[in-house]
Amino acid sequence: MTNPADELRQAAQTLMDLADAAQTDLDTGDYWKPYAPATAWRDGLTNGMGGTSGDLAAVFSPATAHALALLLRGVLSQAHESGHEECSSWCSPETCDLSAALAVARQINAASA
């Protein structure tokens, strides 16, 4: 079984790798050429998917994925510095940053498996 630190590291790296690949596609792929560079991600996904699913995907750009990966790494670093590297029974995503980050990491890791 992996530990919380490994789960956070894995999710952060997955996000970084996917964001880098998506950004390369955005920069070079023919699909994105009709759109203005500043809004290509948003406009392309909204146009391609439509509806609220497209709206949600549109806000989760490669830059957003990078920022979330950095946030996961930051929570891991803060948890390590504070000595709070494992969540107790009283921790929940609503009351504990580590628990919330782990909930996100576990969703990312499950989706990428």
Side-chain angles (χ1 to χ4, degrees):
M1 177 180 227
T2 57
N3 63 46
D6 290 340
E7 291 179 87
L8 289 168
R9 281 188 202 96
Q10 179 183 349
Q13 191 59 53
T14 296
L15 282 177
M16 288 290 192
D17 293 345
L18 289 170
D20 290 343
Q23 186 63 54
T24 297
D25 184 52
L26 185 61
D27 293 340
T28 62
D30 289 339
Y31 174 82
W32 304 102
K33 288 183 180 175
Y35 302 104
T39 61
W41 185 266
R42 182 200 68 206
D43 296 344
L45 285 167
T46 301
N47 183 42
M49 294 177 76
T52 55
S53 295
D55 294 341
L56 175 62
V59 299
F60 205 82
S61 68
T64 303
H66 266 275
L68 181 56
L70 293 174
L71 182 66
L72 292 175
R73 288 178 177 167
V75 168
L76 174 62
S77 177
Q78 289 176 356
H80 179 69
E81 288 173 12
S82 70
H84 183 74
E85 295 175 343
E86 297 283 338
C87 286
S88 304
S89 60
W90 53 267
C91 288
S92 73
E94 294 80 20
T95 62
C96 171
D97 289 343
L98 177 59
S99 183
L102 281 170
V104 170
R106 288 173 178 153
Q107 290 296 315
I108 292 165
N109 294 337
S112 65

